[in-house]
Amino acid sequence: MRLPWTSRLLSLLAFIAPLVASVLAQSYPYNPLPMRYIHQWPIPWYIQSLYVRDNGDIMITTVWPVASVWVLTEVLTDDPKATHIYTFDQVNATTAISETQPDVFSIIGANQTSLGVGIDGDVGIFELDLRPGNGSYTEGFTIQEIVHMSEAGLCGSLAQLPKEPTTLLVADTHKGVVWRVDTLKRTYELAAKEDHMHWLPWFITEFGISGVKIHNGYLYWTLSYTATIWRIAISDDGFPLPDAKPEEVKWIRSVFMDNFEFAPRDNATIFAALNADNRLLAIAPDGTPTYVAGTPDEMILTGPTSPAFGKVKGDTNTVYVATGGALLNPINGSIIEGGRIVAIDTTPYLENLSEQLDLGDELR
């Protein structure tokens, strides 16, 4: 069966394939970490984002074949449970989710013509409120669009302001800007329009800034098709500081870098999802890159999209990774699967890194 978007994908893949082979021929060290599969959806489900709650539950959003929200519970057991919460009829892609108040979640909802190609002005922030149902995922909750972003293009990720978690910085992949969304006032405004946020003419699609994080007074972001992480100093209310300029954090040999996360253990190591490479990459504080999960031609980590660390005691070294099943870049050109959530234990990598840093301190 040919899916509606495959004709577009075939032309893109014909262009991507030689690039992937060329880029991946130059590799970094590979030190695979222990991993386990938590849950898998059937083909053609594409899992775009995840958010780990303080209680360990994992909220999930999808961008194909429908826009939907799920939750994984009992994640630390041998029998995790996947529960469908809601399927949207107003939009066909839900690209990001975060908990802005206890039991209240903000979700980016958008309409797209094919995977990753949105419709300008057809995007908004939706609010899932579990409070009316006393926290239940299956009954009593409400969901509604609270901010319609008529000036925005396809938005792919969000980050909460540390001192004002109900205010979001939202990455607009098509317009190449960052919007500031106040979920209490239900308003939005332009926060940043910087160099290295916009897509470039040679990109395969008009897809610029992707993943965003706020860390130690900086807004970090990926420019996916250049596989580069950038940052700029921002104020507590989310705007770039006067005279602040974008700084390149790290360029990686990759075709496409999706979302990323900072490890809570050292608050410095970055774990990045290399979607087209089928790999998870760790970037040490000194900039040294290491592949820690997946290979380009095996079904280990197919099209990773987003990583997020566990939060409950004993689980904070676990990075959970959402995958798209390699729908956009099939393994060996033809093999795909349904999206998954995978758990990867980063303890061996982080302990080895800590030992290396301690040794370096002793030598100095």
Side-chain angles (χ1 to χ4, degrees):
M1 179 181 70
R2 173 165 288 190
L3 299 171
W5 38 269
T6 52
S7 58
R8 179 182 179 87
L9 284 181
L10 289 174
S11 62
L12 293 181
L13 292 173
F15 184 80
I16 291 175
L19 293 178
V20 173
S22 174
V23 170
L24 299 187
Q26 311 171 70
S27 63
Y28 302 115
Y30 180 37
N31 297 318
L33 295 174
M35 64 185 296
R36 62 189 177 98
Y37 296 118
I38 303 298
H39 183 76
Q40 183 173 27
W41 286 257
I43 295 174
W45 285 85
Y46 190 107
I47 314 306
Q48 178 58 36
S49 75
L50 73 170
Y51 175 83
V52 181
R53 302 191 68 189
D54 290 341
N55 64 2
D57 294 350
I58 303 177
M59 306 295 288
I60 307 292
T61 69
T62 67
V63 295
W64 200 272
V66 294
S68 62
V69 183
W70 297 67
V71 64
L72 296 179
T73 56
E74 302 177 43
V75 173
L76 299 182
T77 72
D78 293 330
D79 188 25
K81 307 296 183 185
T83 301
H84 171 254
I85 297 176
Y86 188 77
T87 295
F88 293 78
D89 54 17
Q90 310 98 313
V91 294
N92 61 19
T94 41
T95 60
I97 184 170
S98 196
E99 190 166 10
T100 54
Q101 302 177 67
D103 285 340
V104 179
F105 301 85
S106 286
I107 301 164
I108 299 176
N111 278 304
Q112 56 183 2
T113 56
S114 60
L115 270 173
V117 181
I119 301 171
D120 286 356
D122 209 351
V123 60
I125 302 298
F126 290 77
E127 184 175 87
L128 168 64
D129 190 347
L130 303 181
R131 293 174 299 185
N134 295 316
S136 171
Y137 295 121
T138 58
E139 59 185 11
F141 61 80
T142 62
I143 191 161
Q144 60 177 322
E145 185 179 39
I146 58 171
V147 182
H148 186 72
M149 303 171 67
S150 59
E151 299 169 274
L154 179 65
C155 294
S157 63
L158 56 81
Q160 296 169 251
L161 295 185
K163 295 184 178 182
E164 195 177 335
T166 56
T167 298
L168 314 172
L169 295 186
V170 177
D172 189 326
T173 64
H174 186 239
K175 296 294 183 69
V177 301
V178 173
W179 303 100
R180 183 182 187 274
V181 179
D182 187 323
T183 63
L184 297 182
K185 295 180 180 178
R186 301 190 176 188
T187 60
Y188 80 102
E189 61 185 316
L190 183 66
K193 183 178 182 180
E194 303 292 336
D195 293 340
H196 311 292
M197 288 184 175
H198 201 273
W199 50 270
L200 300 175
W202 57 267
F203 285 9
I204 297 168
T205 59
E206 295 176 354
F207 195 100
I209 180 175
S210 184
V212 289
K213 298 292 176 186
I214 298 172
H215 184 69
N216 289 344
Y218 286 85
L219 172 67
Y220 286 74
W221 72 90
T222 56
L223 190 60
S224 289
Y225 281 114
T226 65
T228 308
I229 298 175
W230 294 86
R231 73 176 189 175
I232 192 168
I234 60 171
S235 61
D236 288 345
D237 56 2
F239 297 96
L241 294 178
D243 301 322
K245 301 295 183 184
E247 305 170 15
E248 182 177 317
V249 176
K250 187 65 180 178
W251 168 79
I252 293 298
R253 289 192 293 263
S254 176
V255 175
F256 190 94
M257 181 188 294
D258 215 320
N259 293 290
F260 64 100
E261 185 60 278
F262 287 91
R265 177 164 174 162
D266 64 6
N267 211 32
T269 301
I270 294 172
F271 286 81
L274 304 183
N275 193 320
D277 303 25
N278 305 310
R279 284 167 157 162
L280 183 70
L281 181 80
I283 304 172
D286 67 358
T288 301
T290 303
Y291 299 125
V292 294
T295 63
D297 55 358
E298 295 182 283
M299 304 291 286
I300 298 172
L301 195 66
T302 53
T305 56
S306 300
F309 276 85
K311 293 180 180 176
V312 301
K313 185 177 180 180
D315 198 40
T316 55
N317 281 351
T318 301
V319 61
Y320 294 93
V321 182
T323 80
L327 290 186
L328 288 174
N329 188 39
I331 307 293
N332 296 326
S334 61
I335 305 173
I336 62 174
E337 66 176 7
R340 294 179 184 262
I341 301 297
V342 177
I344 300 171
D345 182 5
T346 66
T347 303
Y349 171 84
L350 293 172
E351 287 184 348
N352 182 61
L353 181 62
S354 178
E355 291 172 2
Q356 292 177 10
L357 293 175
D358 289 343
L359 178 59
D361 290 340
E362 290 176 9
L363 292 175
R364 282 192 293 271

